[in-house]
């Protein structure tokens, strides 16, 4: 009967496929087209079974479908394991481009036939499907538009990584035009196992004279595109454009894409990722692969002004001989790139004295490591401490671990005066005390208890001053805090924009938590403090310039003290007479040292009544300075600003000196004199 003939035909075809499975892998590859034909025939029979052509004969149907050899190689099996299930009522998983009339002879324009296969795959199953591209060179003179859920899967790109091997089983999309060869426009679209070529044959004719804008464009124009998948794709000869572009615009989004083993050879630009001000292009991953050969402009370009960040290249080789711009270029304040365990080479960049990597000064948070050969990285490494290649040509920069808080140990608290050296206690709405040494968690660091009085808003703890560091645009600071009150403390600062930002607050767990932040600060008006609105214990505050992890605790020379076995050298500076309009107001160069040679400029008969009277010039409380005189006759007058022993003026003799102690204001006190 017709039903039995259909079943026997299925058995025969499946048995033939099983015999092929017993052949060697090379035999399978030589007969790839025959296997595709068998797959299509079995799919046709499957559809007939599903439509009722052999209804009521489930046993024979199962026997026919289970003949497929389970030992067949995975990469060359039927590709549709659903055929082995007797209970499957699904349609075919594949759309075969050959069924839509593709030729693949490198001469016939296959664009319309390929697009018809793509559209069919998208419509037949509602959520997309896979288009099987046979071996061949498929000339296309218009872009292929691949919507969401559709994957084009070829037979590989041949046996050579240097050029397309047309006689080695390659599936090649040979584009002849001025647009992009392929455009991926929706979620989950993909390309597998094929080559994309800016076609230039016949030599001297039209295709040889035009240059494509690029190979593949992921175009998120006003919508989101997630989870693009590309694997084992070879981009070749896009010398007038970009091999692969991820473009987000008009509130578009490109995210979570996976690009595996992409080979890019000969192009103007290898990979371009961009986002306009309203869009996002982030969290895409490039695994393995290589960008090499003749890349004229740039191998990888990431640019804003939108959020084009956290895109990762892992284990990728980037080694054109030279590039006009750089091998990798990153620009935009919201743009950064992660190059993880990559290989960077540029053998011809030495002669041109060009960096392999350029990171615009506005970009920060880039993380780059791996093997780096030739020239250097041009970047603000203080903003990008995560750049750390293995190379003798360039080095990374980590923030200095030195704690810049002057009294991080909270020593010298005066309860009666409610004063803590080195710190400003802003507000009267908290009672303070130093807890017993048994409460210490870090060596040499006292624990400060803040008993918040629940009125008057925020109580602020902030340093009297922090040294300026114009070379750094980031700060990292924080403090260990213990509290049972949720949101009792947070770190706060003036951001580079001028607005106040804050860290995550304490959870109120009752345990020690580190409360801190690392961000760009307003260099014109720096402002850092701890905002307290609940009872809290504090210890081991830390402040460093640069972007990185905080390093609380004592240094060898710190607020906790120091031990020395060598020579302590103090700075020696000269101090010159003040202007004639203020002859008695002398100014010692701040941060010039502790020893000052008084230069009288030929007139030693002078009087000093005040030292560093201006607020900006004042020394920190506890600073000790010594004035050295080489000539006789200069008077230091005892006054309300310089209090001398027994109210006796000091008058210099040859090679005399007087040592004074700063109160942290405009006042000084005599320590000792040598007349």
């Amino acid at each position: 009967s017709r039903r039995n003939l259909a079943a026997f035909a299925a058995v025969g075809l499946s048995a033939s496929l099983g015999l092929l499975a017993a052949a060697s892998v090379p035999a399978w590859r030589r007969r790839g087209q025959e296997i595709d034909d068998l797959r299509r025939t079995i799919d046709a029979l499957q559809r007939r079974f599903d439509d009722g052509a052999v209804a009521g004969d489930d046993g024979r149907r199962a026997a026919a479908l289970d003949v497929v050899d389970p030992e067949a190689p995975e990469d060359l099996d039927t590709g549709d394991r659903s055929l082995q299930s007797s209970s499957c009522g699904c349609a075919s998983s594949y759309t075969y481009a050959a069924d839509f009339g593709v030729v693949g002879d490198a001469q016939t324009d296959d664009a319309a036939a390929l697009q018809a296969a793509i559209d069919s795959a998208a419509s037949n199953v509602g959520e997309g499907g896979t288009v099987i591209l046979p071996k061949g060179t498929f000339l296309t003179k218009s872009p292929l538009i691949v919507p969401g859920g559709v994957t084009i899967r070829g037979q590989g790109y041949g046996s050579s990584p240097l050029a397309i091997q047309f006689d080695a089983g390659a599936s090649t999309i040979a584009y002849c035009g001025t647009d992009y060869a392929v455009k991926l426009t929706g979620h989950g679209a993909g390309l597998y196992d094929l080559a994309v070529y800016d076609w230039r044959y016949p030599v001297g004719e039209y295709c040889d004279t035009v240059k494509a804008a690029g190979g593949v464009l992921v175009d998120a124009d006003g919508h989101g595109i997630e989870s693009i998948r590309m694997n084992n794709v070879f981009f070749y000869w896009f010398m007038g454009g970009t091999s692969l572009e991820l473009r987000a615009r008009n509130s578009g989004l490109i995210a979570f894409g996976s690009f595996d083993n992409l080979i890019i050879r000969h192009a103007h630009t290898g990979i371009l990722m961009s986002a306009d001000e309203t869009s996002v292009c982030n969290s895409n991953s490039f695994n393995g692969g290589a960008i090499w050969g003749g890349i004229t402009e740039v191998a990888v370009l990431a640019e804003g002004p939108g959020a084009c960040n956290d895109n990762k290249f892992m284990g990728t080789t980037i080694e054109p001989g030279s590039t006009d711009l750089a091998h990798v270029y990153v620009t935009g304040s919201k743009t950064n790139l992660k190059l993880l365990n990559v290989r960077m080479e540029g053998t011809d960049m030495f002669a041109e004295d060009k960096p392999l990597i350029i990171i615009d000064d506005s970009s920060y948070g880039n993380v780059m490591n791996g093997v780096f050969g030739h020239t250097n990285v041009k970047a603000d490494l203080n903003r990008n401490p995560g750049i750390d290649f293995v190379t003798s040509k360039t080095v990374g920069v980590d923030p200095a671990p030195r704690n810049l808080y002057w009294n991080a140990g909270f020593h010298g608290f005066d309860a009666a005066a409610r004063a803590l050296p080195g710190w400003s206690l802003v507000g009267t709405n908290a009672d303070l005390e130093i807890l017993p040494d048994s409460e210490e968690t870090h060596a040499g660091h006292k624990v400060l208890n803040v008993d918040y009085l629940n009125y008057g808003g925020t109580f602020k703890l902030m340093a009297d001053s922090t040294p300026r560091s114009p070379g750094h645009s980031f700060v990292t600071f924080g403090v260990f805090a213990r509290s049972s009150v949720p949101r009792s403390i947070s770190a706060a600062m003036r951001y580079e924009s001028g607005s106040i930002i804050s860290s995550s607050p304490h959870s109120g767990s009752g345990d020690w938590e580190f409360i801190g932040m690392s961000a760009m600060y307003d260099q014109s008006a720096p402002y850092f403090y701890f905002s307290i609105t609940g009872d809290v214990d504090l210890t081991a505050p830390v402040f460093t310039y640069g972007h990185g992890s905080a390093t609380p605790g004592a240094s060898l020379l710190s607020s906790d003290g120091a031990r020395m076995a060598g020579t302590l050298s103090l700075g020696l500076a000269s101090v010159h007479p003040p202007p004639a309009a203020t002859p008695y107001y002398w100014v010692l160069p701040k941060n010039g040292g502790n020893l000052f040679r008084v230069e009288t400029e030929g007139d030693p008969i002078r009087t000093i009544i005040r030292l560093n009277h201006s607020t900006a010039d004042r020394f920190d409380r506890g600073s000790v300075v010594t004035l050295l005189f080489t000539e006789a006759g200069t008077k230091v007058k005892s006054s309300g600003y310089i209090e001398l022993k027994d109210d006796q003026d000091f008058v210099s003799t040859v090679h005399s000196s007087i040592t004074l102690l700063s109160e942290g204001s405009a006042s000084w006190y005599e320590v000792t004199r040598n007349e």
Side-chain angles (χ1 to χ4, degrees):
S1 67
R2 181 179 177 183
R3 182 175 59 208
N4 291 337
L5 286 174
F8 286 136
V11 172
L13 288 170
S14 298
S16 298
L17 194 57
L19 290 174
L20 282 174
S24 64
V25 171
W28 278 87
R29 290 176 177 163
R30 287 194 301 270
R31 302 186 65 181
Q33 186 63 55
E34 297 175 15
I35 294 169
D36 283 343
D37 293 340
L38 289 172
R39 287 174 178 165
R40 286 194 294 274
T41 305
I42 293 174
D43 285 347
L45 288 171
Q46 172 72 54
R47 288 192 291 270
R48 290 183 60 194
F49 292 166
D50 293 336
D51 292 339
V54 290
D57 199 359
D58 292 339
R60 247 185 311 248
R61 180 177 178 221
L65 298 179
D66 285 342
V67 175
V68 177
D69 183 2
E71 299 301 320
E74 282 293 326
D75 60 341
L76 290 170
D77 65 9
T78 65
D80 190 355
R81 292 296 188 184
S82 66
L83 295 182
Q84 299 178 29
S85 172
S86 61
S87 62
C88 178
C90 55
S92 170
S93 298
Y94 297 118
T95 298
Y96 294 92
D99 290 344
F100 293 81
V102 297
V103 179
D105 62 358
Q107 299 179 26
T108 304
D109 185 357
D110 283 319
L114 280 173
Q115 190 63 57
I118 293 167
D119 294 343
S120 177
S123 62
N124 282 347
V125 291
E127 295 182 355
T130 299
V131 176
I132 299 297
L133 195 62
K135 171 186 174 181
T137 301
F138 302 93
L139 178 65
T140 58
K141 294 186 177 180
S142 58
L144 299 177
I145 309 301
V146 184
V150 175
T151 295
I152 301 178
R153 184 184 293 272
Q155 307 302 312
Y157 55 75
S159 60
S160 172
L162 303 178
I164 307 297
Q165 290 287 85
F166 301 110
D167 60 347
S171 298
T172 302
I173 297 173
Y175 179 66
C176 172
T178 58
D179 205 333
Y180 278 80
V182 181
K183 296 181 179 180
L184 307 181
T185 62
H187 302 309
L191 298 177
Y192 285 74
D193 302 322
L194 52 81
V196 186
Y197 195 161
D198 188 359
W199 193 244
R200 47 200 180 102
Y201 299 104
V203 175
E205 297 188 16
Y206 176 75
C207 292
D208 188 32
T209 62
V210 297
K211 292 183 177 180
V216 174
L217 172 64
V218 181
D219 191 14
D221 186 359
H223 65 283
I225 299 180
E226 295 181 3
S227 303
I228 291 292
R229 297 291 183 265
M230 297 181 64
N231 186 289
N232 200 34
V233 178
F234 187 7
F235 297 85
Y236 192 66
W237 208 261
F238 288 92
M239 298 302 294
T242 301
S243 293
L244 172 61
E245 180 175 356
L246 279 61
R247 180 197 299 163
R249 51 186 170 156
N250 301 320
S251 300
L253 164 73
I254 301 175
F256 317 136
S258 180
F259 303 83
D260 303 325
N261 192 35
L262 305 186
I263 305 297
I264 297 175
R265 185 166 170 79
H266 302 309
H268 177 270
T269 299
I271 297 175
L272 168 59
M273 295 169 287
S274 65
D276 69 14
E277 188 63 55
T278 66
S279 302
V280 174
C281 178
N282 68 10
S283 303
N284 298 286
S285 299
F286 297 80
N287 305 294
I291 306 173
W292 64 313
I295 307 297
T296 57
E297 183 74 4
V298 59
V300 176
L301 172 60
E303 61 181 8
C308 185
N309 52 45
D310 195 39
N311 294 299
K312 298 172 282 291
F313 288 77
M314 294 171 284
T316 305
T317 296
I318 304 174
E319 54 176 15
S322 66
T323 47
D324 291 342
L325 181 59
H327 283 20
V328 175
Y329 192 95
V330 182
T331 178
S333 61
K334 300 177 183 177
T335 302
N336 59 39
L337 198 62
K338 291 180 171 61
L339 304 180
L340 308 176
N341 198 26
V342 302
R343 180 180 183 87
M344 296 286 300
E345 297 270 1
T347 54
D348 298 329
M349 298 291 272
F350 270 134
E352 301 174 18
D353 196 25
K354 293 179 179 178
L356 292 186
I357 297 175
I358 297 177
I359 298 176
D360 184 84
D361 285 347
S362 64
S363 175
Y364 64 91
N366 292 273
V367 177
M368 301 181 178
N369 57 62
V371 177
F372 190 97
H374 315 110
T375 71
N376 64 304
V377 177
K378 182 180 182 296
D380 182 346
L381 296 179
N382 288 317
R383 294 167 67 92
N384 297 279
I387 297 177
D388 191 15
F389 284 102
V390 177
T391 173
S392 60
K393 305 299 181 183
T394 187
V395 296
V397 173
D398 288 330
R402 185 163 61 100
N403 189 351
L404 297 179
Y405 278 140
W406 175 65
N407 181 17
F410 292 151
H411 294 283
F413 177 63
D414 186 337
R418 202 171 179 274
L420 181 62
W423 295 91
S424 293
L425 311 175
V426 183
T428 60
N429 52 344
D431 291 333
L432 308 176
E433 67 170 327
I434 296 296
L435 298 183
D437 291 350
S438 60
E439 294 284 343
E440 291 185 9
T441 61
H442 290 69
H445 287 71
K446 304 292 186 181
V447 176
L448 177 67
N449 170 255
V450 180
D451 181 8
Y452 182 69
L453 301 180
N454 296 307
Y455 70 85
T458 298
F459 174 76
K460 295 180 181 179
L461 176 68
M462 57 190 297
D464 280 344
S465 64
T466 51
R468 296 291 186 97
S469 185
H472 292 87
S473 53
F474 272 88
V475 295
T476 299
F477 73 106
V479 66
F480 275 104
R482 179 177 60 189
S483 177
S484 298
V485 180
R487 309 185 68 84
S488 58
I489 180 173
S490 61
M493 60 175 283
R494 184 177 287 120
Y495 190 57
E496 64 168 354
S497 64
S499 61
I500 299 297
I501 62 174
S502 63
S503 70
S504 297
H506 198 287
S507 69
S509 64
D511 297 325
W512 287 105
E513 299 176 11
F514 190 77
I515 306 300
M517 60 194 306
S518 183
M520 292 184 290
Y521 70 102
D522 186 343
Q523 292 183 302
S524 64
Y527 184 44
F528 317 100
Y529 62 94
F530 297 107
S531 175
I532 299 173
T533 57
D535 296 346
V536 63
D537 297 331
L538 304 175
T539 192
V542 61
F543 182 101
T544 59
Y545 283 103
H547 188 37
S549 300
T551 54
S555 303
L556 293 178
L557 181 63
S558 73
S559 58
D560 182 42
R563 296 181 65 186
M564 296 187 60
T567 301
L568 175 64
S569 298
L570 300 178
L572 173 63
S574 295
V575 54
H576 295 271
T582 54
Y584 310 120
Y585 287 45
W586 289 60
V587 178
L588 308 179
K590 192 174 181 181
N591 297 323
N594 296 83
L595 305 176
F596 297 92
R597 181 186 291 114
V598 179
E599 306 288 352
T600 58
E601 299 179 353
D603 182 10
I605 310 302
R606 298 176 182 271
T607 300
I608 301 173
I609 296 178
R610 298 191 66 176
L611 286 175
N612 294 55
H613 63 285
S614 174
T615 301
D617 294 327
R618 291 174 185 172
F619 281 60
D620 291 330
R621 183 172 182 265
S623 298
V624 177
V625 301
T626 298
L627 306 182
L628 307 174
F629 300 88
T630 58
E631 298 179 274
T634 302
K635 178 188 293 186
V636 178
K637 184 172 180 59
S638 182
S639 67
Y641 295 105
I642 303 178
E643 296 187 21
L644 302 183
K645 185 179 180 180
D646 298 330
D647 200 27
Q648 295 293 312
D649 295 342
F650 170 89
V651 180
S652 69
T653 58
V654 176
H655 300 306
S656 59
S657 65
I658 184 171
T659 299
L660 304 172
L661 171 69
S662 171
E663 185 62 24
S665 60
S667 299
W668 297 81
Y669 299 91
E670 179 181 353
V671 176
T672 185
R673 66 175 73 187
N674 174 23
E675 296 177 300

